[in-house]
Amino acid sequence: MAKLGYARVAARNDALEEQVEVLEEFGCDKVFTDDRSNSNIERSGLKAMLDYAREGDIVVVMKLDRLARSIQDLQSITDELKERGIDLISLTQNIDTSSENGESVFNWIDIFADFEREVHSERIRSGIDNAREKGVKLGRSEMNIDLKEKAYDMYCSGDYTMRDIVKETGLSRATIYRYIEKKKAAEKMV
């Protein structure tokens, strides 16, 4: 059984060295770090720690927000730890999944992740409903019908190549051909 520390800088003013020092004082056998906070950057230290960790090991962090960037991220990481038989300790939040009450921490994280997803979905639905009530048309906007008509007329005249029509109208070939087919189908019905 190994205690594996993980430290991450979340803001420019965070001190990685302080986290590492606390984790080493706690007795971590090995400390993995990530020193960039940009969410688009892969956390190679976290990946290395997860690759290194074995069943029975304990992952130690200063706070849960050092381990994950969002509740969904935390859920994903803690699900993996739980599945692999790896415990988690958060020093400042007094979380220790190896204790009797530790299992409930994993369950609470799942509950909060589900809650956050529901709240987010509800906000989106509410925003869409509010926009509709205000008369905002949602979805892809219909391209300028005048341009489509111009493209159709140019095509039917036979005086223009498709390249000319695309250049003149700014519409894509696919849009022009779809509109032509739509117009021809409508003319056949009449």
Side-chain angles (χ1 to χ4, degrees), residues 54-58 79-87:
R54 300 290 176 256
E55 184 175 352
D57 287 350
I58 300 171
D79 283 352
E80 179 180 344
L81 294 176
K82 182 179 177 182
E83 185 177 297
R84 294 176 54 197
I86 300 167
D87 285 308

Side-chain angles (χ1 to χ4, degrees), residues 16-35:
L16 188 63
E17 297 79 29
E18 289 176 24
Q19 291 179 57
V20 171
E21 188 177 308
V22 169
L23 292 170
E24 288 173 345
E25 286 175 9
F26 185 74
C28 290
D29 303 303
K30 190 169 174 95
V31 177
F32 298 84
T33 63
D34 282 314
D35 62 358

Side-chain angles (χ1 to χ4, degrees), residues 121-140:
S121 293
E122 188 175 307
R123 284 183 185 145
I124 290 172
R125 285 190 301 271
S126 177
I128 289 170
D129 291 344
N130 287 339
R132 283 187 178 137
E133 286 174 11
K134 292 177 182 176
V136 175
K137 185 177 177 188
L138 301 173
R140 291 177 57 177

Side-chain angles (χ1 to χ4, degrees), residues 58-122:
I58 300 171
V59 170
V60 183
V61 294
M62 287 285 297
K63 298 187 315 184
L64 291 178
D65 68 351
R66 301 301 96 186
L67 182 63
R69 294 187 184 111
S70 69
I71 195 76
Q72 280 83 17
D73 190 26
L74 181 61
Q75 181 186 27
S76 173
I77 293 167
T78 57
D79 283 352
E80 179 180 344
L81 294 176
K82 182 179 177 182
E83 185 177 297
R84 294 176 54 197
I86 300 167
D87 285 308
L88 172 65
I89 294 176
S90 172
L91 298 175
T92 59
Q93 293 153 325
N94 283 331
I95 294 172
D96 181 351
T97 63
S98 66
S99 70
E100 283 184 30
N101 296 327
E103 184 68 24
S104 66
V105 171
F106 286 131
N107 295 332
W108 278 107
I109 289 170
D110 288 343
I111 289 168
F112 283 119
D114 290 342
F115 172 74
E116 187 172 284
R117 274 191 295 277
E118 285 298 316
V119 167
H120 184 71
S121 293
E122 188 175 307

Side-chain angles (χ1 to χ4, degrees), residues 8-12 34-41 69:
R8 177 177 65 88
V9 176
R12 292 190 191 282
D34 282 314
D35 62 358
R36 295 196 178 145
S37 63
N38 185 335
S39 63
N40 294 327
I41 296 174
R69 294 187 184 111

Side-chain angles (χ1 to χ4, degrees), residues 137-151:
K137 185 177 177 188
L138 301 173
R140 291 177 57 177
S141 61
E142 181 64 29
M143 289 185 153
N144 189 332
I145 195 72
D146 293 336
L147 285 177
K148 290 180 180 179
E149 279 296 320
K150 181 177 182 177

